[in-house]
Amino acid sequence: SFSITWSVYPIRTVIESVQLSVCLLTYVLITRLSDESLDKIVKSVLIIAFLVSILGLGEYIFITGARIQSTFTNPNPFGIFIGMIFLTTLSISIRIKSKLFTILSVFFLTILFLSGSRASMGAVSVSIFLVYFGLSKEEIKRGIIKTSIIILIALITSQILMYVSIYIRENIFI
């Protein structure tokens, strides 16, 4: 309540406090779930993120060619969301050596690049090291190599999609 009375925008402070409380409540609930329930939640979130990203990619290629924001009102929150999803899929792909999660990692990182959100790219760059916690030295080496390859492929893919988007909008949708 102290911050609300001294805040320049008290309503915004209340909204941020509610959001923080929801995040803390989500953390508490997730830590109490069984592994099976947690797997279901992760799969559901990944499916939703994939669908939202496909929508945003479609908008990018066929309609706007501007920074992807998909169902979000701004590319920056979308970028943060996709950044968290990318880190999740990267962590899973390194730990269980899944081709599907490697492909998803490339996809989500490509979408992150196309969102143009520098803040989310910076946050991912700083927090990518968290993916390697709890791994052996050999697994860390393999993980770093895999991550480097994923980043390279995502950079190339995002550049190709930029050119494809321009070509489609200029030559097909006149």
Side-chain angles (χ1 to χ4, degrees):
S1 70
F2 183 71
S3 347
I4 293 172
T5 57
W6 286 95
S7 176
V8 176
Y9 301 105
I11 298 297
R12 188 73 214 157
T13 304
V14 169
I15 291 169
E16 295 294 332
S17 299
V18 169
Q19 287 176 339
L20 180 61
S21 300
V22 168
C23 288
L24 290 173
L25 180 62
T26 302
Y27 172 77
V28 169
L29 290 175
I30 286 177
T31 56
R32 299 192 188 288
L33 290 175
S34 67
D35 288 343
E36 183 180 310
S37 297
L38 190 58
D39 286 345
K40 287 180 183 178
I41 289 174
V42 169
K43 287 177 185 175
S44 299
V45 169
L46 290 178
I47 289 169
I48 291 167
F50 181 76
L51 294 174
V52 167
S53 297
I54 289 291
L55 176 66
L57 186 59
E59 283 178 340
Y60 178 81
I61 291 174
F62 298 110
I63 299 171
T64 65
R67 296 169 59 190
I68 294 178
Q69 64 188 31
S70 191
T71 58
F72 288 68
T73 58
N74 188 305
N76 291 325
F78 177 69
I80 293 294
F81 171 69
I82 293 300
M84 290 185 292
I85 298 298
F86 163 69
L87 291 171
T88 302
T89 56
L90 179 64
S91 180
I92 293 170
S93 76
I94 289 171
R95 282 173 170 71
I96 65 171
K97 299 170 183 67
S98 166
K99 288 182 183 180
L100 172 65
F101 283 101
T102 302
I103 292 168
L104 284 174
S105 295
V106 170
F107 174 74
F108 287 125
L109 187 57
T110 300
I111 297 297
L112 176 65
F113 289 150
L114 292 175
S115 77
S117 173
R118 293 178 306 234
S120 60
M121 288 182 230
V124 166
S125 299
V126 170
S127 57
I128 200 163
F129 301 105
L130 297 173
V131 169
Y132 305 112
F133 279 145
L135 297 176
S136 68
K137 286 184 180 183
E138 186 61 35
E139 289 173 321
I140 291 173
K141 282 184 203 176
R142 278 185 275 149
I144 290 172
I145 292 169
K146 187 175 200 173
T147 302
S148 300
I149 292 169
I150 288 171
I151 291 170
L152 182 63
I153 293 171
L155 280 170
I156 292 169
T157 305
S158 63
Q159 294 304 305
I160 291 170
L161 285 171
M162 289 172 74
Y163 289 115
V164 166
S165 171
I166 292 168
Y167 179 80
I168 287 174
R169 281 181 286 105
E170 288 181 357
N171 296 316
I172 296 176
F173 297 115
I174 299 174

